[in-house]
């Protein structure tokens, strides 16, 4: 080492080797010519400026933004479900891709990778769309529609940083202009209303799946913060039960617990879907399960008075990932017609109501005193649930299993009885059969005699063919005309005679034709 | 969708819990469908097709949760709606006060674009009446709404009420599209532009309204 420095001192002036700060210590190229101490100082100052600049642009540094997150995670680690961890992990990766990219030179390969990841889905919808366009049998219309879409997608991709309101407006305007185009342009003439609706539907699906990365939870909004806020909020409301909400769900009854489970799965699934239609389908599925379970609990079709509390309960139990982002995505980019009046729109509106209710939930909305509410919120107490006989999920499951086992047993007994009955029937049948056969045997012993006679005939056939053979051939011969006792050979001759006579019968025809032609000629 | 030939109207059903909104709704839809078709899983969102003066009208009727605790969610339900049916129980004064609140709110949020029907339900309990016919009718007239008496139990006045509401919404939409120079697809165009306007109003108004609500 010393030798190297020595050789360097020979070549380079000492001032270059010294710290740039002029503190007297030696500098080092890796520290940009500073000594270790000065470098540390300079570096920290620089990174602070960097952060400040980033904050000015409204982009918070990645690490800082994450820091508030671990606290609630730790505090509620017990209630932390796996999915939340996963969703947060995902969020981190998503965020790192988005947030770092403006400054990071590595952005391009990363972005490419992420595009490649979702491309399977895009490809699938692309193929579906292409198949649909082909099925229209209108090549010009198909070409025009796909051109419009392509152009619009490029346009949106070209403006990733514009405010989300603008994006939303242009997407909605695009639906409108596409719809106007379909209704006014001649190349689309002749399409049935059904195919027009389908075309619009596919266009929307394709467009939003293609642009999902840009439009879902965009950088320019605080959707992500809202997602985290509602998630934390729901987590802190874990103690709310069916009775506090007046939801008429009787989880002890029938398959209600199962239906609730189904509803929860459906609402969580919403985030895995890309197109608003698919997301709405999940909401509809969830709502249908809830209605089913209310019908089981109540025995009558449920109204909104019962549905809304039940949906609140399901959302609280499910804590769906990216809830706000999903709602915002649907509100901003789904075809407004869909949300205005359809059934899906109704359920979606209810979901919006649920979110708003959860955000603003207080002691009043549960009609309980403030201090009680505070105690539950702080985790000091857990509200009493009168129908929950089992404090432990395992016991409830055991009870459920026991009852289903009992059911199985009774079914088995029923089956056994039936099997015995069947056995008895079998035996009876056998007896009956035997008896019948015996009776028949007794009644018809004579049947055997004609058979013996027949056998005799066969034997005689060999010896005397001409006298005994004809009877079996009778039907063939009858047509020709009563020659019953003739042997086989004579039959054949007879049939050939018949053929000849047929020919004779036909013979007049040519003569007739001849006559006609002779008549025709003079004319 | 408006493009499917006829008009589609969104109608919200507002009213306190237990005034009979749901029975009203079920009764209305049940009339058209016979009993065996009413295997309805739910009675909160129902579609009803009607024919008014040769025009096909599709009513999408949205039931809303009537409990006091959900009152603040009203704006989310009734945004973009063309009509509202405000139901009160003639034997229950509170429910009538509630209707007055709704009317005030609706007029504030949606202006005169929305057709209102005030409905006094349970006229079969005439003996227990607490809201006088005159009061109710004069109030309705003062806010530009029509007033009806119905009974879901006796199936009285319901069909008529929805019919009149549809007519009024049809008129409303015609004047609206005429005013905006409605083109080939007046329904959907009007809808999409209105949607944006209302969204803005709603965003501005929501915290403020909630504030006043929680203070009262």
């Amino acid at each position: 080492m010393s030798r190297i420095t020595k050789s360097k001192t020979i070549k380079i002036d000492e001032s270059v080797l010294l710290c740039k700060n002029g503190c007297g210590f030696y500098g080092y190229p890796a520290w940009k010519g500073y000594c270790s101490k000065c470098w540390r100082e300079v570096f920290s100052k620089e990174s602070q400026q960097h952060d400040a600049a980033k904050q000015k642009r409204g982009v918070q540094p990645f690490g800082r933004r994450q820091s508030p997150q671990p606290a609630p995670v730790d505090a509620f680690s017990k209630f932390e479900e796996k999915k939340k961890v996963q969703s947060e992990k995902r969020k981190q990766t998503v965020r790192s891709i988005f947030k770092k990219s403006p400054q990071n030179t590595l952005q391009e390969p990363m972005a490419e990778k992420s595009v490649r990841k979702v491309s399977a889905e895009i490809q699938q919808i692309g193929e579906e769309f292409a198949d649909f366009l082909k099925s229209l049998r209108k090549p010009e219309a198909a070409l025009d529609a796909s051109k419009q879409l392509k152009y619009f997608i490029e346009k949106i991709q070209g403006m990733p940083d514009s405010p989300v309101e603008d994006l939303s407006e242009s997407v909605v305007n695009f639906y409108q202009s596409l719809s106007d185009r379909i209704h006014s342009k001649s190349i689309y003439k002749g399409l049935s209303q059904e195919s027009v609706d389908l075309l619009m539907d596919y266009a929307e699906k394709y467009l939003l799946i293609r642009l999902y990365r840009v439009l879902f939870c965009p950088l320019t909004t605080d959707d992500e913060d809202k997602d985290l806020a509602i998630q934390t909020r729901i987590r802190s409301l874990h103690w709310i039960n069916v009775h506090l909400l007046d939801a008429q769900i009787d989880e002890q009854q029938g398959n209600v617990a199962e239906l609730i489970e189904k509803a929860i799965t459906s609402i969580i699934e919403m985030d895995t879907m890309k197109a608003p239609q698919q997301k709405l389908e999940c909401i509809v599925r969830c709502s249908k399960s809830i209605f089913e379970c209310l019908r089981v609990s109540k025995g009558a079709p449920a109204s909104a008075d019962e549905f809304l509390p039940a949906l609140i309960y399901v959302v609280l139990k499910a804590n769906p990932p990216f809830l706000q982002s999903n709602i915002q995505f649907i509100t901003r980019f789904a075809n407004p017609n869909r949300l205005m009046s359809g059934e899906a729109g109704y359920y979606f509106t209810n979901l919006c109501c649920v979110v708003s209710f959860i955000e603003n939930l207080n002691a009043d909305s549960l009609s309980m005193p403030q201090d009680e509410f505070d105690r539950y919120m702080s985790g000091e107490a857990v509200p009493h649930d009168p129908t929950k006989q089992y404090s432990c999920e395992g016991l409830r499951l055991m009870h459920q299993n026991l009852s289903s086992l009992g059911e199985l047993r009774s079914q088995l007994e029923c089956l056994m009885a039936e099997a015995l009955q069947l056995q008895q029937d079998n035996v009876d049948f056998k007896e009956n059969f035997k008896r019948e056969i015996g009776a028949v045997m007794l009644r018809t012993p004579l049947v055997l005699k004609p058979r013996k006679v027949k056998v005799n005939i066969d034997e005689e056939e060999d010896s005397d063919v001409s006298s005994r053979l004809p009877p079996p051939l009778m039907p063939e011969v009858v047509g020709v005309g009563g020659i019953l006792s003739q042997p086989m050979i004579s039959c054949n001759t007879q049939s050939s005679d018949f053929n000849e006579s047929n020919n004779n019968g036909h013979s007049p025809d040519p003569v007739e034709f001849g006559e006609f032609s002779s008549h025709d000629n003079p004319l | 969708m408006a493009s499917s030939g006829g008009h589609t109207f969104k109608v919200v059903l507002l009213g306190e819990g237990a005034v009979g909104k749901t029975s009203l709704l079920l009764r209305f839809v049940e009339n058209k469908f016979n009993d065996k078709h009413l295997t309805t899983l739910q009675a909160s969102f129902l579609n009803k097709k009607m024919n008014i003066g040769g025009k096909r009208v599709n009513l999408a009727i949205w039931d809303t949760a009537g409990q006091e605790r959900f009152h603040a969610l009203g704006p989310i339900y009734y945004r973009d709606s063309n009509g509202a049916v405000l139901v009160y129980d003639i034997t229950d004064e509170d429910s009538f006060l509630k209707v007055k609140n709704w009317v005030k709110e609706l007029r504030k949020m949606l202006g005169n674009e929305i057709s209102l029907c005030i409905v006094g339900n349970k006229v079969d309990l005439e003996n227990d009446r607490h809201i006088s016919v005159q009061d109710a009718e004069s109030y309705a007239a003062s806010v530009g709404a029509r007033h009806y008496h119905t009974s879901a139990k006796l199936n009285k006045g319901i069909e008529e009420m929805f019919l009149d509401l549809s007519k009024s919404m049809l008129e409303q939409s015609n004047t609206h599209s005429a005013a905006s120079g409605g083109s080939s697809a007046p329904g959907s165009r009007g809808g999409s532009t209105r949607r944006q306007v209302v969204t803005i109003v709603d965003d501005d108004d929501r915290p403020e309204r909630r504030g006043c609500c929680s203070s009262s």
Side-chain angles (χ1 to χ4, degrees):
Chain A
M1 275 294 273
S2 59
R3 210 180 292 162
I4 293 164
T5 24
K6 242 185 197 170
S7 69
K8 267 186 182 170
T9 41
I10 296 162
K11 279 178 193 165
I12 305 162
D13 188 87
E14 199 172 298
S15 66
V16 180
L17 271 173
L18 285 173
C19 173
K20 265 159 89 179
N21 233 7
C23 60
F25 288 95
Y26 280 104
Y28 194 68
W31 297 328
K32 293 190 179 166
Y34 289 103
C35 70
S36 62
K37 210 177 159 197
C38 295
W39 166 244
R40 215 173 290 147
E41 272 173 28
V42 169
F43 177 71
S44 65
K45 211 179 278 171
E46 242 178 33
S47 63
Q48 265 172 16
Q49 276 169 354
H50 202 57
D51 282 1
K54 270 199 250 172
Q55 266 169 338
K56 229 178 232 173
R57 294 177 51 199
V59 183
Q60 282 177 300
F62 171 57
R64 190 171 290 194
R65 229 181 159 189
Q66 272 300 296
S67 56
Q69 200 39 42
V73 173
D74 288 340
F76 289 97
S77 55
K78 269 187 196 167
F79 314 106
E80 182 77 331
E81 285 144 282
K82 214 176 183 182
K83 63 171 200 301
K84 271 173 235 150
V85 178
Q86 278 171 344
S87 76
E88 265 149 30
K89 257 188 211 157
R90 251 180 64 202
K91 193 166 284 183
Q92 281 178 13
T93 48
V94 168
R95 188 182 289 142
S96 64
I97 289 163
F98 278 139
K99 297 282 145 82
K100 278 182 180 168
S101 52
Q103 292 98 1
N104 202 336
T105 45
L106 283 170
Q107 55 162 312
E108 269 165 34
M110 276 175 93
E112 251 172 49
K113 218 188 257 170
S114 54
V115 166
R116 223 173 282 140
K117 234 189 274 167
V118 289
S119 65
E121 231 162 342
I122 293 173
Q123 216 172 345
Q124 195 199 338
I125 182 70
E127 275 163 17
E128 269 174 38
F129 190 32
D131 285 348
F132 168 73
L133 286 176
K134 254 181 231 158
S135 74
L136 288 179
R137 294 177 195 286
K138 281 201 172 269
E140 295 110 333
L143 196 69
D144 186 67
S146 59
K147 240 188 211 162
Q148 291 289 319
L149 265 170
K150 212 174 187 178
Y151 172 71
F152 182 71
I153 288 170
E154 274 165 17
K155 187 180 145 200
I156 290 289
Q157 276 169 340
M159 46 191 270
D161 291 328
S162 30
V164 74
E165 289 78 20
D166 292 359
L167 290 174
S168 163
E169 207 180 319
S170 39
V171 169
V172 170
N173 286 341
F174 174 74
Y175 295 145
Q176 191 59 50
S177 68
L178 185 64
S179 155
D180 285 352
R181 202 180 171 88
I182 290 170
H183 284 290
S184 61
K185 274 227 164 187
S186 59
I187 46 168
Y188 291 102
K189 277 247 164 73
L191 285 182
S192 65
Q193 186 59 45
E194 213 174 293
S195 359
V196 169
D197 287 347
L198 259 174
L199 178 62
M200 288 301 292
D201 198 62
Y202 267 113
E204 182 182 351
K205 225 183 222 174
Y206 180 69
L207 177 76
L208 292 176
I209 290 181
R210 276 290 302 268
L211 294 172
Y212 194 71
R213 292 199 65 82
V214 187
L215 300 183
F216 183 78
C217 189
L219 286 178
T220 47
T221 63
D222 56 350
D223 291 355
E224 221 177 285
D225 293 333
K226 283 190 192 157
D227 282 336
L228 290 180
I230 190 87
Q231 222 168 54
T232 318
R233 174 82 178 154
I234 290 175
R235 222 177 286 147
S236 68
L237 293 171
H238 67 94
W239 47 269
I240 290 183
N241 60 32
V242 179
H243 304 280
L244 292 173
L245 290 169
D246 279 336
Q248 298 182 359
I249 300 173
D250 185 0
E251 286 195 71
Q252 304 298 315
Q253 210 177 338
N255 54 348
V256 168
E258 200 181 304
L259 283 165
I260 289 286
E261 209 55 41
K262 230 165 113 186
I264 290 175
T265 318
S266 304
I267 195 86
I268 289 175
E269 244 170 34
M270 176 175 71
D271 184 53
T272 62
M273 299 297 172
K274 291 249 154 86
Q277 290 99 317
Q278 298 164 329
K279 285 181 192 288
L280 287 171
E281 264 168 39
C282 290
I283 299 175
V284 171
R285 250 204 329 273
C286 166
S287 307
K288 290 264 158 81
S289 309
I290 293 175
F291 276 119
E292 180 65 40
C293 111
L294 285 173
R295 211 177 50 114
V296 171
S297 301
K298 207 185 135 216
S303 69
D305 286 356
E306 289 115 29
F307 173 62
L308 191 63
L311 187 64
I312 293 172
Y313 177 71
V314 165
V315 171
L316 282 175
K317 284 282 155 243
N319 199 353
F322 294 90
L323 185 55
Q324 288 277 14
S325 288
N326 278 302
I327 287 177
Q328 290 297 338
F329 179 73
I330 294 170
T331 321
R332 284 175 191 142
F333 301 113
N335 196 333
N337 286 335
R338 201 183 299 285
L339 298 181
M340 257 177 31
S341 50
E343 193 175 15
Y346 177 72
Y347 295 140
F348 177 68
T349 304
N350 271 295
L351 184 67
C352 296
C353 286
V354 167
V355 170
S356 166
F357 180 79
I358 290 174
E359 277 172 346
N360 297 295
L361 191 136
N362 55 25
D364 274 351
S365 35
L366 295 175
S367 36
M368 61 166 69
Q370 185 65 42
D371 59 325
E372 196 182 339
F373 181 79
D374 289 343
R375 247 185 306 139
Y376 294 146
M377 279 303 269
S378 63
E380 263 176 56
V382 175
H384 173 64
D385 187 346
T387 52
K388 247 203 177 120
Q389 308 161 10
Y390 313 107
S391 51
C392 158
E393 178 68 13
L395 274 173
R396 193 189 64 79
L397 264 181
M398 194 184 76
H399 182 83
Q400 203 182 322
N401 288 344
L402 275 175
S403 69
S404 44
L405 275 177
E407 230 167 74
L408 274 179
R409 175 194 287 258
S410 66
Q411 272 176 14
L412 193 73
E413 272 161 11
C414 197
L415 195 71
M416 267 315 271
E418 270 171 30
L420 284 174
Q421 181 63 40
L422 189 68
Q423 204 172 18
Q424 190 55 45
D425 283 356
N426 221 346
V427 170
D428 286 355
F429 176 72
K430 219 174 181 176
E431 290 290 308
N432 261 345
F433 196 72
K434 267 186 188 161
R435 220 177 310 130
E436 288 272 310
I437 288 202
V440 169
M441 294 266 268
L442 275 178
R443 236 188 306 132
T444 53
L446 286 165
V447 177
L448 293 172
K449 273 183 184 168
R451 284 209 171 179
K452 268 178 191 167
V453 172
K454 251 187 184 170
V455 170
N456 283 342
I457 291 170
D458 286 344
E459 282 164 3
E460 278 167 23
E461 235 171 13
D462 291 331
S463 58
D464 187 8
V465 179
S466 55
S467 63
R468 292 298 174 188
L469 192 60
L473 284 171
M474 265 170 73
E476 271 186 39
V477 187
V478 163
V480 184
I483 310 160
L484 296 172
S485 52
Q486 286 279 351
M488 188 89 166
I489 306 145
S490 65
C491 266
N492 286 342
T493 51
Q494 191 62 37
S495 64
S496 64
D497 283 346
F498 179 72
N499 283 343
E500 273 166 42
S501 73
N502 257 0
N503 286 342
N504 289 337
H506 280 297
S507 58
D509 286 345
V511 177
E512 266 175 17
F513 282 126
E515 275 173 14
F516 274 118
S517 57
S518 66
H519 277 296
D520 285 342
N521 281 339
L523 287 166
Chain B
M1 279 189 197
S3 51
S4 59
H7 291 263
T8 299
F9 292 126
K10 173 178 157 185
V11 178
V12 281
L13 211 55
L14 298 166
E16 208 183 22
V19 293
K21 281 175 300 182
T22 313
S23 336
L24 215 65
L25 185 53
L26 276 177
R27 181 58 102 172
F28 175 55
V29 179
E30 201 177 358
N31 270 353
K32 186 127 192 179
F33 300 97
N34 43 35
D35 284 327
K36 69 178 173 202
H37 280 259
L38 194 80
T39 47
T40 33
L41 184 57
Q42 42 96 4
S44 57
F45 172 85
L46 290 169
N47 262 316
K48 171 103 172 172
K49 287 192 173 67
M50 296 181 94
N51 201 324
I52 291 169
K55 280 187 179 158
R56 274 190 292 149
V57 170
N58 186 29
L59 296 185
I61 309 172
W62 293 31
D63 190 12
T64 61
Q67 294 96 317
E68 179 58 39
R69 61 170 70 166
F70 300 129
H71 184 92
L73 306 174
I76 307 176
Y77 276 122
Y78 55 64
R79 109 175 105 202
D80 292 336
S81 49
N82 306 84
V85 176
L86 301 128
V87 190
Y88 70 91
D89 179 349
I90 59 161
T91 65
D92 180 359
E93 212 156 335
D94 281 350
S95 70
F96 190 61
L97 286 177
K98 201 80 182 284
V99 163
K100 286 184 175 176
N101 279 340
W102 284 118
V103 170
K104 241 182 265 165
E105 240 181 85
L106 284 167
R107 285 292 181 221
K108 191 176 137 207
M109 301 288 223
L110 302 179
N112 287 322
E113 235 173 81
I114 185 166
S115 308
L116 300 184
C117 272
I118 296 177
V119 175
N121 196 25
K122 304 194 186 175
V123 285
D124 46 298
L125 303 172
E126 190 65 45
N127 296 337
D128 284 333
R129 181 185 271 283
H130 277 80
I131 317 287
S132 80
V133 179
Q134 209 191 345
D135 277 1
E137 278 177 354
S138 63
Y139 171 72
S142 74
V143 293
R146 303 194 59 163
H147 186 272
Y148 298 87
H149 276 120
T150 62
S151 163
K153 194 171 172 188
L154 307 174
N155 194 9
K156 229 171 97 185
I158 300 169
E159 185 96 32
E160 183 199 350
M161 182 264 292
F162 276 107
L163 213 67
D164 279 4
L165 179 67
S166 309
K167 276 182 200 156
S168 136
M169 287 189 297
L170 211 58
E171 274 166 33
Q172 186 75 252
S173 95
N174 286 341
T175 56
H176 183 71
S177 64
S180 66
S183 62
S184 57
S188 52
R189 173 160 300 212
S192 66
T193 48
R194 189 147 47 81
R195 166 187 175 256
Q196 274 157 10
V197 174
V198 175
T199 312
I200 294 160
V201 170
D202 191 39
D203 282 351
D204 285 345
D205 224 292
R206 205 188 298 173
E208 175 197 315
R209 221 195 51 70
R210 192 155 286 131
C212 81
C213 195
S214 57
S215 67
S216 67

